[in-house]
Amino acid sequence: MGAELRRDDMEVAEEDISDSQAFRFVEHVLQSVRMDPFQVDLRDKEEYDSLLSIVDSSKKRSYDDEALLVTTLKALSEAVSKIDIMYHHALLNNIFTMSIWYLNSDTRDALLSLITRLAAVADQFLRECLQMLVNNFTPPGSLTAFIGQPRWLARKKEIYSQLHESLRMISDTVPLAPRMLKDIIDRSMPKLFDNKAKMVSFVECMLGLDNDRMGDLIGALLLAKVVDLLTELDVNITWEDILQDEHNKGIFDMELEDLGEDEDSLGQEGTKALFGGNACAEKLDSLMVVFCEHLKSCKEHGRLPQEFDILKTIFRASVLRVHKSKFAQFIMFYACSLDPEICGLEFALFLSDIFIKKEEDSISRMSAVSYVGSYLSRARFISADTVVGILKRLVDWCVDYCDLQNNIRITTKPINHQIFYASCQAVMYILCFRLRSIMDYPNLKAQLFNMPFGYILTHPLEPLKVCLPSIVDEFLRQAKAARLFNASVHSEFEDALESDLSKTFGGMNRLDMFFPFDPYLLKESDRYMRPNFEYWSMVKTTYNNYNSDVDDELVDLDAPEMNVGSLDDHVEIDLNSDDDLEYSMNKMSITPNRSFFHQIMANSDTGLTMPARIRPSVSPPS
């Protein structure tokens, strides 16, 4: 019955065995053991054991052994209808536990061809086939130390391409495959304490599926799982981890002023402000590189708008409300920088829409306005007209809120007006960074000067006393230099590092101190963010002499008449004490360290210059 080709025949050179001979032998062996084990002929049992040895997943192979394996795998592909899960369990186990990373290209092709054919056999092997392919997203542990070498990088690229093609073929053949693949990827995702090499390899291979038609089937899941992993790593990095080498300084060097004469330099000067050594941070850093490269590929292939639509939904569900996230949100920042006109504008509108909608919960609205304030301040690629357009939306909302409070009994407790104060602070924060640049465009300047800032800031809700003093002081200083207001006011809290009212604003989440796009601190992925990021040292303020001719002209500018109420007499802010203002601005986007600042003031007879280094904003432990 069947072929009489034996093990000895199979061990001759591969070219001496025709495909039909090999197929007849394998078919005979498979058929001969499809019965009760006690009824299997001993000779047939030996032949089946020989077949198992050829496809032994743990076996080290010589060149001849691998040639024999290729022939056998091709024969098995033709004989898949004879493979039975009940009688060929050992054979299937050898196949499904085989690592393609140790095989040469021809052997990988033969094995993956067998897997794709097995997956289509009445769906009975589908899950095992998909799991086998996903298992090979990462190299075996013994290879992780070498995977960064040029030879292995080339092989990795080839292996990923073969895995992607196999998964595409299975998905095209078996309608159930994409849904099952989602579940398998979900269960196989790297965990927080897996090693970095495994994480990076898995995510890199997984995101590769999103670059072609597989992305249309499971792209949303792939992106969501990666963002979840980024966020999980992110929240497990504490500022104590980051600042452990700087604890004696009391403030963390952030703004990289020491870039040399060229502030836009992308060199390595100043990178001492970035950090490493923390396991979660190093994993996150490498994964951010992978994700940014994926987004860049999407841009190059014209898929970024579709990808960005998915990312917005994921960001809304998984990142927006995570106030301890410090870096994961920068995937949105980088995506926007790749397409400022579409994605960049869309993100700003998306955030402001969440803020304005009454149907949204208060935490989401406060987070959204904090995000849009930080985003418009830091994104160098966002145009001034976009900034003014979003500012108008925020200011209009604040005016409506003030009008509403005028018609009801005002409760002055800041905790009852968190959204209002968050929006006021966002507006002032944006203008700290963007006011001077807006002044360069007469039409935008006119729009800005017609916004009723005076009405909002002198409202009985007193946002100037509730928002962070550092931001309030800097905003008012620039507003005075630009003559944004028609009156001067005097500060009643100029000596306070943080007012009591400000402390109550934000509650436990402290969204008053939430600046999501503070300077980026991850070493490797920093190169994607830095060219598009506005550091405080780069900001041209309305009072600094960046260009004496321009500033002399600016001083003489008269603010256009505003159709708003002038600032109330009972609220005054002294804008003449530059030293105090500059000192207070050292707190912008920071959690104040009282002992540090007091020590500075005690040891200095003069005020501080505007900080080019700003400590990151933080939230207290929940």
Side-chain angles (χ1 to χ4, degrees):
M1 179 177 75
E4 294 299 321
L5 196 63
R6 302 300 179 195
R7 166 72 177 174
D8 293 340
D9 299 320
M10 288 291 289
E11 289 180 338
V12 300
E14 179 183 15
E15 59 268 18
D16 294 334
I17 304 174
S18 68
D19 289 341
S20 58
Q21 287 177 310
F23 167 68
R24 287 196 299 271
F25 168 74
V26 168
E27 184 181 43
H28 162 73
V29 172
L30 294 175
Q31 188 65 39
S32 67
V33 295
R34 291 184 63 166
M35 61 185 69
D36 188 299
F38 294 104
Q39 297 179 349
V40 175
D41 184 87
L42 182 59
R43 191 176 181 183
D44 292 333
K45 177 67 167 57
E46 291 176 352
E47 289 177 343
Y48 181 69
D49 289 342
S50 296
L51 179 61
L52 290 180
S53 177
I54 294 172
V55 294
D56 185 353
S57 58
S58 62
K59 183 178 180 179
K60 291 186 177 180
R61 296 178 178 84
S62 65
Y63 176 84
D64 289 340
D65 288 335
E66 189 133 355
L68 181 61
L69 176 60
V70 171
T71 302
T72 304
L73 291 173
K74 289 180 177 178
L76 285 169
S77 295
E78 296 298 325
V80 289
S81 61
K82 303 296 183 180
I83 299 178
D84 189 288
I85 194 169
M86 180 179 297
Y87 300 110
H88 305 133
H89 177 76
L91 175 65
L92 290 167
N93 181 70
N94 280 4
I95 293 171
F96 292 140
T97 57
M98 194 171 289
S99 173
I100 66 175
W101 292 82
Y102 293 118
L103 307 176
N104 64 38
S105 182
D106 289 340
T107 313
R108 292 198 301 269
D109 283 337
L111 175 59
L112 294 175
S113 176
L114 171 59
I115 293 296
T116 57
R117 292 200 177 195
L118 278 171
V121 179
D123 296 343
Q124 60 178 319
F125 304 125
L126 177 60
R127 179 171 290 277
E128 289 78 6
C129 290
L130 294 176
Q131 185 68 66
M132 182 269 186
L133 295 174
V134 172
N135 288 345
N136 277 280
F137 281 11
T138 56
S142 58
L143 292 182
T144 55
F146 310 101
I147 204 65
Q149 297 177 358
R151 179 173 68 91
W152 277 105
L153 286 174
R155 174 173 287 198
K156 181 177 72 170
K157 184 176 181 180
E158 183 180 350
I159 287 174
Y160 286 172
S161 177
Q162 290 175 304
L163 289 171
H164 296 159
E165 180 60 29
S166 297
L167 287 168
R168 281 195 296 270
M169 291 177 63
I170 293 173
S171 296
D172 289 343
T173 306
V174 187
L176 180 63
R179 186 171 65 184
M180 190 174 290
L181 181 59
K182 286 182 182 181
D183 179 64
I184 290 171
I185 288 178
D186 187 24
R187 295 171 182 270
S188 304
M189 280 295 296
K191 304 301 186 291
L192 181 66
F193 298 107
D194 285 337
N195 67 64
K196 183 174 74 172
K198 177 179 179 180
M199 281 189 176
V200 171
S201 296
F202 191 95
V203 170
E204 188 176 0
C205 187
M206 186 176 77
L207 286 178
L209 291 171
D210 191 42
N211 286 329
D212 49 44
R213 64 180 182 271
M214 282 294 291
D216 297 332
L217 300 174
I218 61 172
L221 169 90
L222 299 177
L223 293 178
K225 297 308 297 182
V226 177
V227 172
D228 285 345
L229 180 58
L230 296 177
T231 306
E232 183 182 13
L233 287 167
D234 198 341
V235 299
N236 277 278
I237 306 169
T238 68
W239 286 121
E240 286 73 20
D241 294 326
I242 297 171
L243 302 176
Q244 58 186 343
D245 295 330
E246 302 283 332
H247 65 279
N248 290 325
K249 294 185 179 181
I251 189 169
F252 191 67
D253 290 343
M254 289 283 296
E255 294 277 3
L256 307 182
E257 176 129 10
D258 53 346
L259 288 175
E261 293 182 1
D262 183 2
E263 289 178 335
D264 294 330
S265 170
L266 300 184
Q268 294 304 308
E269 291 184 88
T271 53
K272 65 178 181 294
L274 308 182
F275 76 97
N278 176 279
C280 286
E282 291 181 352
K283 294 173 186 177
L284 178 60
D285 195 6
S286 296
L287 291 178
M288 290 293 286
V289 171
V290 172
F291 206 110
C292 288
E293 285 296 322
H294 170 70
L295 291 174
K296 187 163 67 172
S297 175
C298 289
K299 170 65 175 177
E300 293 168 353
H301 293 87
R303 298 187 64 253
L304 186 60
Q306 302 94 303
E307 200 83 346
F308 189 72
D309 284 341
I310 298 172
L311 279 177
K312 282 192 306 180
T313 302
I314 296 169
F315 169 84
R316 174 70 180 84
S318 302
V319 181
L320 179 64
R321 291 167 56 94
V322 182
H323 307 124
K324 292 183 180 181
S325 177
K326 297 164 284 295
F327 309 114
Q329 58 264 30
F330 274 87
I331 58 173
M332 303 299 295
F333 188 93
Y334 181 66
C336 291
S337 72
L338 292 172
D339 188 359
E341 293 183 0
I342 297 178
C343 298
L345 172 61
E346 194 174 319
F347 189 50
L349 293 172
F350 167 73
L351 292 169
S352 57
D353 283 344
I354 294 174
F355 163 67
I356 289 172
K357 289 180 182 176
K358 295 180 180 179
E359 300 81 14
E360 298 283 353
D361 64 276
S362 60
I363 297 299
S364 294
R365 295 177 69 186
M366 290 179 67
S367 295
V369 79
S370 296
Y371 261 101
V372 77
S374 187
Y375 172 64
L376 295 181
S377 300
R378 297 295 194 168
R380 302 180 70 186
F381 49 85
I382 293 298
S383 63
D385 58 340
T386 296
V387 173
V388 172
I390 299 298
L391 276 173
K392 187 177 187 309
R393 296 190 79 187
L394 302 184
V395 169
D396 286 348
W397 183 90
C398 290
V399 170
D400 291 341
Y401 190 89
C402 289
D403 289 343
L404 177 63
Q405 297 305 310
N406 290 338
N407 297 325
I408 62 177
R409 184 177 180 181
I410 296 179
T411 304
T412 56
K413 291 182 179 179
I415 198 70
N416 296 324
H417 305 283
Q418 291 175 305
I419 300 175
F420 171 73
Y421 294 126
S423 60
C424 290
Q425 180 159 290
V427 168
M428 289 188 285
Y429 190 66
I430 293 169
L431 289 173
C432 286
F433 281 81
R434 303 299 296 257
L435 179 56
R436 178 64 180 84
S437 61
I438 293 172
M439 299 287 291
D440 292 337
Y441 302 92
N443 61 323
L444 298 180
K445 176 187 171 184
Q447 293 179 48
L448 187 67
F449 275 74
N450 281 316
M451 295 182 192
F453 296 108
Y455 172 62
I456 297 168
L457 298 179
T458 61
H459 191 272
L461 288 173
E462 298 183 309
L464 294 179
K465 289 187 177 181
V466 178
C467 297
L468 276 178
S470 54
I471 294 177
V472 171
D473 287 349
E474 172 65 11
F475 164 71
L476 291 173
R477 187 182 184 196
Q478 291 208 41
K480 179 190 177 183
R483 300 189 181 182
L484 184 61
F485 300 137
N486 282 338
S488 62
V489 290
H490 181 74
S491 175
E492 298 177 0
F493 53 93
E494 59 183 1
D495 295 325
L497 282 174
E498 188 174 18
S499 69
D500 291 336
L501 288 174
S502 179
K503 291 177 183 177
T504 64
F505 165 40
M508 290 300 295
N509 287 316
R510 293 311 308 272
L511 290 182
D512 60 323
M513 308 184 76
F514 182 48
F515 299 86
F517 293 114
D518 266 351
Y520 192 80
L521 299 181
L522 299 178
K523 286 184 177 179
E524 299 300 323
S525 49
D526 173 66
R527 65 183 185 269
Y528 298 95
M529 313 306 169
R530 192 185 301 188
N532 307 296
F533 191 86
E534 185 78 0
Y535 293 95
W536 180 249
S537 59
M538 299 174 179
V539 174
K540 292 185 177 181
T541 62
T542 58
Y543 54 78
N544 277 356
N545 293 320
Y546 282 91
N547 183 309
S548 58
D549 294 333
V550 173
D551 284 342
D552 288 343
E553 180 183 352
L554 182 61
V555 169
D556 294 331
L557 288 175
D558 288 326
E561 293 299 323
M562 295 186 293
N563 187 23
V564 297
S566 61
L567 300 182
D568 294 346
D569 293 335
H570 72 281
V571 181
E572 292 185 273
I573 294 181
D574 184 1
L575 295 174
N576 297 318
S577 179
D578 290 348
D579 289 348
D580 287 340
L581 287 168
E582 290 173 349
Y583 153 69
S584 185
M585 267 308 295
N586 277 280
K587 296 190 316 87
M588 175 175 280
S589 185
I590 68 167
T591 300
N593 183 317
R594 295 177 182 271
S595 60
F596 174 75
F597 282 104
H598 288 171
Q599 183 179 0
I600 286 182
M601 296 305 291
N603 296 332
S604 176
D605 295 327
T606 61
L608 301 177
T609 58
M610 187 64 62
R613 301 178 178 89
I614 298 175
R615 186 177 179 179
S617 61
V618 298
S619 299
S622 57

